Amino acid sequence: EAYWRKGYLPTCDHGPVIAKIQQKFSYANNNTFAWGVGIEAVSDIRETPEIVHNTSLIGRRYCRGVAWLSDGRSSEVVYLIESKQGFASLGYRVQSCLPAFDPWHVYGSWCRSIKP
């Protein structure tokens, strides 16, 4: 696909993408769940290829990694980067989920809705 049709889509290990994951988790911790932990780092980052050909004009990149928490534990993290989803359809959006920290199943069982 032509770059201009899908929009800008950063890589899974792009620093601002990881920062958005950390910020979202921190917000949930501070305003809802009070787990008392934060995400210190994300490692073993890899892209998960789409199984079905995406014909949408919205570019999507499916990613996963290991989130290292401030209490020393680790957890799987899955996230979706979508182009043209920022303010006024500019920029990108990051949706992330740590399956062990999604008690309300916002993204379905084990974060299924943001996996390819």
Side-chain angles (χ1 to χ4, degrees):
E1 292 271 338
Y3 172 82
W4 59 270
R5 290 189 63 198
K6 293 280 187 176
Y8 173 66
L9 200 57
T11 60
C12 292
D13 61 353
H14 187 55
V17 169
I18 302 304
K20 286 181 189 236
I21 294 167
Q22 291 170 312
Q23 290 166 354
K24 179 180 176 181
F25 189 83
S26 177
Y27 181 86
N29 177 50
N30 294 334
N31 296 291
T32 308
F33 298 111
W35 294 307
V37 296
I39 298 175
E40 295 289 319
V42 179
S43 66
D44 300 325
I45 298 169
R46 57 199 178 281
E47 184 173 348
T48 305
E50 284 188 84
I51 298 167
V52 181
H53 179 66
N54 179 3
T55 58
S56 170
L57 292 180
I58 297 171
R60 290 183 177 87
R61 189 179 305 269
Y62 297 91
C63 310
R64 64 180 45 220
V66 176
W68 293 95
L69 306 176
S70 57
D71 66 358
R73 293 182 297 158
S74 65
S75 175
E76 175 188 25
V77 59
V78 294
Y79 51 106
L80 169 63
I81 308 167
E82 295 178 298
S83 68
K84 300 182 180 182
Q85 298 298 298
F87 178 72
S89 297
L90 301 173
Y92 60 92
R93 172 176 62 182
V94 177
Q95 297 184 63
S96 59
C97 179
L98 282 71
F101 291 89
D102 187 21
W104 295 338
H105 302 290
V106 172
Y107 293 104
S109 177
W110 292 96
C111 306
R112 189 174 316 157
S113 67
I114 58 174
K115 293 180 180 178

